[in-house]
Amino acid sequence: MVSKRKLSKTDAPGESCKTDLLKTKKSRISDKEKASACAGVENEGVFEELLRTSGIILKAGEGQNEIAVDQMAFQKKLCLALEKHPTYPGVVKQFITGLESHIKDRNQFKNCLLPCTPIRTEGSRTLVHSYCESLIKLLLGIKILQPAVITLLLEKIPEFFFDIVGTFGTNFPRLIVNQFKWLDKLLDSQELVKKLMQMVSVSPVPVQHDIITSLPEILEDSQQSEVARELRTFQFLSSCLSCLLKQGRRLTVPILDALSRLDLDAGLLAEVRQSAMTIVPSVKLEDLPVVVKFILHNVKAADTVEVISDLRKSLDLSSCVLPLQILGSQKKLKSQVQASSSMSQVTTSQNCVKLLFDVIKLAVRFQKDVSEAWIKAIENSTSVSDHKVLDLIVLLLIHSTNTKNRKQIEKVLRSKIRLGCMPEQLMQNAFQNHSMVIKDFFPSILALAQTFLHSAHPAIVSFGSCMYKQAFAAFDSYCQQEVVTALVTHVCSGSETELDISLDVLTDLVTLHTSLLMRYATFVKTILDSTQKLNPCQIRKLFYILSTLAFSQRQEGSYIQDDMHMVLRKWLSSTVPNHKQMGIIGAVTMIGSMALKRNEGDGSLLERPELNSERDGQLSTLLDLVGFCCEQTPEILALYYDELANLIEKQKGNLDLQLLEEFGKSLVEDFPSDFVVDLNPTVDGSFLFPVKSLYNLDEDESQGAIAINLLPLVSQSELGRVTDGMSNQSKRVVSPICLSPCFRLLRLYTGEQNSGSLEEIDALLGCPLYLTDLEVEGKLDSLSKQEREFLCSLLFYALNWFREVVNAFCEQQDTEMKGKVLTRLQNITELQTVLGKCLAASPGYVPPPATFDSEALEALPSINAVGPVRKKNGRKKKTDGSKAGSADRSQADDSSGGNQPDTELSELEKTASGREAGNPLAQLQSYRPYFRELDLEVFTVLHCGLLTKSVLDTEMHTETREVVQLGPAELCFLLDDLCWKLEHVLTPGSTRRVPFPKERGHKDIGFSHLCQRSPKEVAMCVVKLLKPLCNHMENMHNYFQVIVIQNRGVEDDPEVNIQEHQLMSSCYQQLLLTFRSLFAWNGFSQLENTDLLRSALQVLADRLKPGETEFLLLEELISESFHYLLNFHQSVPSFQCAFILTQLLIAIAEKPMAGWKKEKMASLAKQFLCQSWVKPSGDREKGSQFNSALHTLICVYLEHTDDILKAIEEISSVGVPELIKSAKDGCSSTYPTLSRQTFPVFFRVMMAQLESSVKSISAGKPSDSSEVQLEKLLQWNIAVRNFHILINLVKVFDSRPVLSICLKYGRLFVEAFLKLAMPLLDYSFKKHRDDVQSLLKTLQLSTRQLHHMCGHSKIRQDIGLTNHVPLLKKTLEQFVYRVKAMLAFNHCQEAFWVGILKNRDLQGEEILSQASEEGDSDEEDSAESPTKEPSGSGTEASDEDGAAGPGPRSPAGP
């Protein structure tokens, strides 16, 4: 009542306003026009009159329309006024006409679109709300006006298509569209949708944008699905029209924004999401976050994995990197303005990527299914090429966002790194191109890097170290400090692996980012407080790091210098040998940094003259101190020489030689006086053996000839050990221990001074040694222990001298010098033969050291009389004992893979053959640490063919010419050392698991020179050697081809030189090992090494197509190289060679593995398995080494064959029966490698591959067609038949390994059957009942045999076997009930019964101790008992009988 009264009071002002307005209008019309305009005035009057009557006053100009009543009251009044008007419904048309006339004026139209202003009269309260809707929106709320007003508004929109917003200060299309939002009721929403979509199809992009984004607020919920379909149609079907293609792409954001706010049904949502997915690869970068957000936020739990997998494949961050590359080129070519413009583009690009990962982060944090699906999608990717930078960043994102998934993320990353799917190059790309994104995950990066450094796998450790380096280079100072702190913590932790890797990382950082790391030098310096945990190699790294920091920027590094000097003086003055050695290593490393050339090109090295003199003084003082501390101890002096030599070699050309003149002059004087004497026919003195000059290559030079005074020095050294304490302290000790180190330093110093020329010391190459008569055959037993050991020491010193001589002169180009180098190699092989005989007669002998740091001395093997025992305890892994243990472990290994560790095979082959031939050379393998290291340059000798050495007469005229060539023994010696080096430095690909050795700190013994080179440098050296290596391998191929031809048809004792055959076979094997080590190197997977791989492959391909390989594609080069190497399969002399050749071909073929290569590999492996491998002695190859290689070769065959089930069936149905029929020591005629000794190897691989192959058969689905079901049933029938054949072989081969394999893989096969085959049987039983029954009957026989094995294991009480029984029993019981469930699913439960199986042995005989008292009835005759459940160990099996029961019990059809 109150409201009515108030409303009635407001009518009076309205009436007065209406009267005034009418008077004003009439005054504007002239008398002449009154008659003609009468009708128009009346229409306008209806519009304005009704509005005034209802409570709205129209304003002209800038003023807004005023409303004097409540909005709802206005709408009611106007509606009543229209309905009660005498001319209704014609008045509605008049009203709309008046409205149309009114809004022709832009200002008046704008007022009608803007909110009305409530009228507030003084002294009275108003009931009008402070905010009121616009006139147009109020009119749209009136049913009888709504259709006409909508039509009018939509017709007005095209008038403003080409208006530039801001011309009139108003965006009219947007205001018009806003009028349709949030209406209480739409009379015909379908018609409105149709008109709006028509308007969208013809509108410019800004209007389209406004309409589309407003649709969710315009429509009722019931209409949203229809609009979504219209939107999708416009977005994705209109792309067919080229004129609308760009518009469609520009509208991606508004369309997806609208779709995300619509209530869509599941089917339509999936359709729209799929459409959005298709534009992900081509959408603009700035729109990508919106698209991804729509996809992720509208995904259902059931579809998550599939959607994420598709999204992962579609997202490509490489497009985000392109602006960075463009910027790099523009900086060089364009102006500063253009460069700054490009920089802004890069910033925009990075911001878009940041937004993209923010969207993913939100989804991962709040949608559990998304994070798990993303992890699953990455896990399911198996190909290396499928993995992207996106994967790594997402894994880091999930690790940092969801704490519950961290362990899972670590596991996935470890697995991917091991498999080579996450190479370091991928991580480098992530840090370099997306550092803004990755920086947010820095805590996770730090945690993962710390975790990875604890790993035992080298690839994972390397990945962790690379994370540290990339984080330091890419992030800000706070992150850099955290990285340095973490690395210092690793160093001080005491863990050998962490310590080495952390120092390596710091070494890389100080080399690449010296100035950056200088800020954190205080942290690095604290490692000096923990040096007691460091070995000499680590001391060398630490002092290199500190010296680089201390001397790169003199003023800033002075405090580091002081600390280093203090520590070094303490160590050098110590009486503890270990400390003194550490002092020598640290001091020489420091000298290296001080003695670097200071050039003007390097701003950081500019120094004032006073600083130069100060440096010279420090250097002289340090050299004097080190020299004084070394001169009394030969081992320490030798270490000093070696360290200085390594310094000169490492810093070749960069050392200020004037600063090294002090020790250089004394060195040139001391070496001749200490070790060189004039050659005389007799030598004065009393020695254990008579002195004899041997190995003189300069016999023609009778005058001025010199000799190495070796035997007298060794005698003096041996006696000096007793009287060492009485020696004169002022006299410098001369020891043969220092001979080789001093010569190495002398030749490097001479080469540095004379630009590589060694003419000053070339007489040392051909000069003889003072030794004794080395014809020891038959004399060793008559010598005393002291004499034998003296002779051994003499031979070690002589061999090490020759090794250093070969190191020094191997690169000389003079033909005469080359001939002498080859002769010295022959001398080495001869001396090694003599040494082998002497060592065999000297049990317990310990040779003089050849490496002089403490880690080498502590790690040297204890040498015993028995070869295998000695080798097992030694540093070298290459022994029969260790390999046997490896083979045993491989036999017990649970994995089905065939990639066994095999790099030891070369040594083992030579060891075994040498021992059988009575050749003591084999024993030298465990003495490697006592020999001087050969440099990589020595292998340039492999280029040499036949060389002629001139023998001159006394008048320097050519008297005769001797032909010198690289013989098999020298070739074998060089290749053996090359293989040893490549195995150490070239880490193979991910196919091979290589854990760190337990004594990782000692792994570099014998590789000190090699470790100064990077793996890439070593690989480049080997690539340069490929041509001569190919020549040598082709020679080997021809040699064995000739032997095959000569012995063809000869059955009894073919004439073969056994020793020569073994030597050539060993060379062949080492050549193949060299090729395999190179091409299996994991560095070839990195992009920067592609050119190196191409050049290596080009050498091989050029052997088949000379001169035609320069322009071949990489894939073509791989194909040609594969064919070239494949040709060698005809001549391989041993199974080990065949095995290594197979692995080499796989390494080549995996780049990538094409279908034809797979067929070739399967054919080759089968050929090797079907070949009889007999040694030259006539014995068949056997042993653990043979078994290990055989295991791998069978795996290669089965993994590469087209039909693995057929291959297994052929071996088990053809080869095994032949073996059973053969004699006790016989073999299969089809597969000669299959014997009773190798049967467990074949059986393990077949069982493992069978179980693996059935996992590739997809599980049955209800949607599968009858043909698909039949095909899968056929595959399972073949698999179950193979399984039955293999299981039944236990009755013949009942050894413990075979039983263990059966119990393990039998359970795994039944589990796979339950998981994959039973769903198939569920849906195919009705259509293919006979096939299902046959399948289950066959499997029943196998499960019964497994049950018998369980009983056998319990009777034998074998713990190793009984451990498998509980899990197997559980699986068999699950199988019983699963078959019952399958029958119930097909309404055939009456066809199922359970019987009691009796415990029987392997042959099927009942175990009487557990016999049933009720009789001897067999389990097939058990009474029908559909309700009895299996229990215990005797309830396995009559379920198959039930499933395959009589036909009438099962329904004939569905």
Side-chain angles (χ1 to χ4, degrees), residues 166-293:
T167 302
F168 297 94
T170 305
N171 187 335
F172 279 97
R174 182 176 298 170
L175 284 175
I176 294 172
V177 173
N178 286 342
Q179 307 306 309
F180 301 125
K181 292 183 179 179
W182 309 115
L183 293 177
D184 293 335
K185 181 66 177 177
L186 274 173
L187 296 182
D188 192 350
S189 55
Q190 187 172 358
E191 184 65 22
L192 177 60
V193 168
K194 185 177 179 180
K195 290 180 178 180
L196 285 173
M197 295 314 297
Q198 289 175 351
M199 186 63 65
V200 166
S201 64
V202 298
S203 303
V205 174
V207 179
Q208 291 176 334
H209 188 286
D210 291 334
I211 295 176
I212 292 171
T213 52
S214 301
L215 283 173
E217 287 84 13
I218 294 174
L219 304 170
E220 297 177 0
D221 290 344
S222 60
Q223 296 296 322
Q224 290 191 357
S225 293
E226 182 181 349
V227 169
R229 191 173 302 279
E230 291 285 343
L231 275 174
R232 187 189 60 79
T233 302
F234 170 73
Q235 168 67 18
F236 306 111
L237 297 184
S238 64
S239 59
C240 299
L241 304 173
S242 58
C243 62
L244 293 179
L245 180 60
K246 291 183 180 180
Q247 296 181 10
R249 289 293 159 81
R250 292 176 65 181
L251 291 172
T252 298
V253 173
I255 289 175
L256 292 179
D257 179 59
L259 288 170
S260 64
R261 290 183 289 153
L262 296 179
D263 184 19
L264 310 181
D265 61 82
L268 184 57
L269 180 62
E271 190 178 352
V272 173
R273 186 176 58 239
Q274 186 59 39
S275 300
M277 191 77 75
T278 59
I279 66 167
V280 168
S282 56
V283 75
K284 283 186 177 180
L285 185 57
E286 56 266 28
D287 294 341
L288 189 58
V290 179
V291 179
V292 173
K293 181 178 180 180

Side-chain angles (χ1 to χ4, degrees), residues 1013-1070:
R1013 301 172 184 259
S1014 68
K1016 183 175 182 179
E1017 291 173 332
V1018 175
M1020 291 174 68
C1021 291
V1022 181
V1023 171
K1024 292 177 182 177
L1025 296 173
L1026 279 180
K1027 286 185 179 179
L1029 289 173
C1030 286
N1031 290 334
H1032 289 300
M1033 197 151 78
E1034 288 167 12
N1035 292 338
M1036 297 297 162
H1037 172 76
N1038 296 334
Y1039 172 83
F1040 287 107
Q1041 282 285 83
V1042 170
I1043 290 180
V1044 170
I1045 294 172
Q1046 289 176 348
N1047 296 326
R1048 187 168 293 166
V1050 180
E1051 298 181 359
D1052 299 329
D1053 298 329
E1055 294 185 4
V1056 176
N1057 184 330
I1058 293 179
Q1059 190 169 2
E1060 180 185 336
H1061 186 282
Q1062 289 176 342
L1063 194 57
M1064 298 296 279
S1065 177
S1066 182
C1067 288
Y1068 204 160
Q1069 183 171 314
Q1070 288 161 348

Side-chain angles (χ1 to χ4, degrees), residues 873-884:
N873 293 336
R875 187 201 66 83
K876 288 299 295 170
K877 301 181 293 180
K878 304 179 180 182
T879 67
D880 285 338
S882 64
K883 186 61 186 178

Side-chain angles (χ1 to χ4, degrees), residues 675-699:
F675 303 108
V676 181
V677 294
D678 292 333
L679 181 61
N680 293 316
T682 60
V683 178
D684 298 331
S686 176
F687 308 107
L688 287 175
F689 293 93
V691 179
K692 184 178 180 180
S693 171
L694 296 178
Y695 302 112
N696 187 3
L697 304 185
D698 300 320
E699 294 179 0

Side-chain angles (χ1 to χ4, degrees), residues 1275-1328:
Q1275 289 179 290
W1276 274 108
N1277 265 308
I1278 298 172
V1280 169
R1281 185 169 68 247
N1282 287 343
F1283 183 65
H1284 175 60
I1285 294 171
L1286 293 174
I1287 290 295
N1288 277 311
L1289 290 177
V1290 178
K1291 295 179 180 179
V1292 181
F1293 304 95
D1294 56 355
S1295 63
R1296 184 178 180 276
V1298 174
L1299 285 171
S1300 178
I1301 294 167
C1302 271
L1303 292 172
K1304 177 189 173 182
Y1305 289 103
R1307 172 179 63 83
L1308 294 176
F1309 184 88
V1310 176
E1311 286 179 352
F1313 190 89
L1314 286 171
K1315 184 177 180 181
L1316 301 172
M1318 289 309 299
L1320 173 66
L1321 302 190
D1322 288 341
Y1323 302 112
S1324 58
F1325 181 76
K1326 294 179 180 179
K1327 296 180 181 178
H1328 309 285

Side-chain angles (χ1 to χ4, degrees), residues 649-772:
E649 186 177 37
K650 183 177 181 181
Q651 301 291 352
K652 187 176 293 184
N654 295 324
L655 291 177
D656 191 344
L657 294 181
Q658 293 180 354
L659 301 175
L660 301 181
E661 280 293 333
E662 294 184 31
F663 81 86
K665 288 181 180 178
S666 62
L667 177 68
V668 174
E669 296 171 359
D670 290 345
F671 183 82
S673 62
D674 290 346
F675 303 108
V676 181
V677 294
D678 292 333
L679 181 61
N680 293 316
T682 60
V683 178
D684 298 331
S686 176
F687 308 107
L688 287 175
F689 293 93
V691 179
K692 184 178 180 180
S693 171
L694 296 178
Y695 302 112
N696 187 3
L697 304 185
D698 300 320
E699 294 179 0
D700 52 292
E701 299 177 5
S702 57
Q703 295 181 348
I706 58 173
I708 302 298
N709 192 31
L710 188 57
L711 191 145
L713 281 176
V714 175
S715 296
Q716 179 185 347
S717 176
E718 294 296 324
L719 295 175
R721 292 180 182 176
V722 182
T723 60
D724 187 42
M726 301 169 61
S727 63
N728 185 359
Q729 293 297 325
S730 62
K731 185 178 180 182
R732 187 168 51 84
V733 175
V734 178
S735 169
I737 288 178
C738 299
L739 172 62
S740 296
C742 188
F743 172 69
R744 178 176 176 79
L745 177 59
L746 174 65
R747 66 100 171 173
L748 285 169
Y749 173 77
T750 304
E752 190 77 0
Q753 289 279 30
N754 298 286
S755 303
S757 173
L758 299 179
E759 188 176 351
E760 294 180 4
I761 59 172
D762 60 359
L764 296 172
L765 172 60
C767 73
L769 284 77
Y770 277 154
L771 296 172
T772 188

Side-chain angles (χ1 to χ4, degrees), residues 85-207:
H85 197 279
T87 61
Y88 180 80
V91 69
V92 174
K93 185 176 181 181
Q94 295 176 12
F95 185 89
I96 295 301
T97 303
L99 173 62
E100 184 178 2
S101 301
H102 180 74
I103 63 177
K104 284 180 181 179
D105 181 85
R106 284 180 177 264
N107 286 331
Q108 292 180 358
F109 189 26
K110 175 183 174 182
N111 289 340
C112 293
L113 295 172
L114 293 176
C116 297
T117 302
I119 296 175
R120 300 180 183 276
T121 57
E122 296 182 5
S124 64
R125 296 176 61 193
T126 177
L127 295 179
V128 183
H129 195 273
S130 60
Y131 174 79
C132 297
E133 298 288 356
S134 66
L135 171 62
I136 296 294
K137 193 155 191 176
L138 291 174
L139 295 179
L140 285 171
I142 301 173
K143 293 181 181 180
I144 56 177
L145 295 177
Q146 188 183 81
V149 174
I150 288 176
T151 302
L152 177 61
L153 290 176
L154 292 177
E155 289 174 353
K156 292 287 289 183
I157 290 179
E159 296 180 15
F160 309 99
F161 273 178
F162 304 104
D163 276 6
I164 298 174
V165 176
T167 302
F168 297 94
T170 305
N171 187 335
F172 279 97
R174 182 176 298 170
L175 284 175
I176 294 172
V177 173
N178 286 342
Q179 307 306 309
F180 301 125
K181 292 183 179 179
W182 309 115
L183 293 177
D184 293 335
K185 181 66 177 177
L186 274 173
L187 296 182
D188 192 350
S189 55
Q190 187 172 358
E191 184 65 22
L192 177 60
V193 168
K194 185 177 179 180
K195 290 180 178 180
L196 285 173
M197 295 314 297
Q198 289 175 351
M199 186 63 65
V200 166
S201 64
V202 298
S203 303
V205 174
V207 179

